[in-house]
Amino acid sequence: MVPQPQLRPRAARILVVEDEALIRVLIAEELRLEGFSVIEADRADDALTYIKAGEQVDLVFSDIRTPGSLNGLQLAEAFREKYPDIPVILTSGNALPRHVGILGAFVSKPYDVTQTIALMSSILAQKSPGEPL
Amino acid sequence: MSDPCILIVEQDLLVRTPLAEYLRECGYLVLEASSAGDARALLEDGSRRIDIVLAEVKSGEPSGFALASWVRTHLPNTQIVLAGTIATATEKAGDICQEGPALSKPYDHRLVLDHIQRLLAARDRNDRT
């Protein structure tokens, strides 16, 4: 029997939206070390442009306060409306906005990177149990 | 020795991301900044040794030129490559950068990689002498 090449599973793609470069780089580096593919955006507008360009992501992790015309909540609303299969996790140093629950999970800042990555992994596992991402 | 670290400074996410992913596939540690200001924050942070800064000439305020001047003054061991679409801008970039010529946009990923490899090889040769 001829051995068949095994398909390498695609790494889950996480879109991180954070305007503080040092925070963004820190979480992005840790995610890459965990084997995720990471797209870094500093504005919610850029994140939406990226998706509209046809690029694929599996999860969005966004700060609520972002510069530009869209904030993280509006980005989450846009995803809920147009890309409901892509889970969104929001983060902020401020109090949890009342309606954030229907838009996605919420992580308070400053966040524990390990716990945040565990949350992302668990949400991705629920999204497609048993399937390589 | 750790993987060489490249900092890409580029406003356009759709330009920056594919280049960053390509260079990561080539084995480099790649940091991303969307502005010269963010790039400077990463450079000043000092927690990582950044070997090469690849910056767009027009990277907001401060400009890529200002970032290049700052890098040359404060981080003499970090090399800078400026990229732009305007011929005069790339000529000026060549004057500022240690190792001309500067790169033209749109980026040809293979050319960027060649340029980075040449800069790192030249630096390693200098370190040995």
Side-chain angles (χ1 to χ4, degrees), chain A residues 13 19 21-22 24-26 29 32 37-42 46-47 49-50 53 55, chain B residues 11 13-14 16-17 21 24-25 29-35 38-39 41-42 45 48:
Chain A
R13 286 170 76 83
D19 62 318
L22 293 172
R24 189 183 65 242
V25 164
L26 176 70
E29 280 187 339
R32 287 190 188 105
S37 171
V38 183
I39 298 101
E40 299 180 42
D42 66 337
D46 287 350
T49 303
Y50 186 78
E55 299 290 343
Chain B
Q11 290 181 77
L13 183 65
L14 292 168
R16 188 179 72 237
T17 298
E21 289 187 338
R24 283 188 192 104
E25 287 286 322
L29 175 63
V30 180
L31 302 181
E32 300 177 42
S34 61
S35 67
D38 278 359
L42 292 170
D45 175 49
R48 306 159 192 82

Side-chain angles (χ1 to χ4, degrees), chain B residues 46-68:
Chain B
S47 60
R48 306 159 192 82
R49 172 186 159 145
I50 296 174
D51 300 284
I52 293 178
V53 178
L54 172 61
E56 180 187 29
V57 169
K58 290 167 72 177
S59 54
E61 280 296 324
S63 69
F65 292 130
L67 178 67

Side-chain angles (χ1 to χ4, degrees), chain A residues 108-130:
Chain A
S108 304
K109 276 186 178 178
Y111 47 76
D112 180 290
V113 171
T114 306
Q115 287 179 5
T116 303
I117 293 175
L119 174 65
M120 292 178 190
S121 299
S122 109
I123 289 173
L124 286 167
Q126 286 169 23
K127 184 183 165 193
S128 48

Side-chain angles (χ1 to χ4, degrees), chain A residues 27 43 68 82 100 118 128:
Chain A
I27 185 81
R43 297 152 49 102
K82 291 176 183 157
V100 79
S128 48

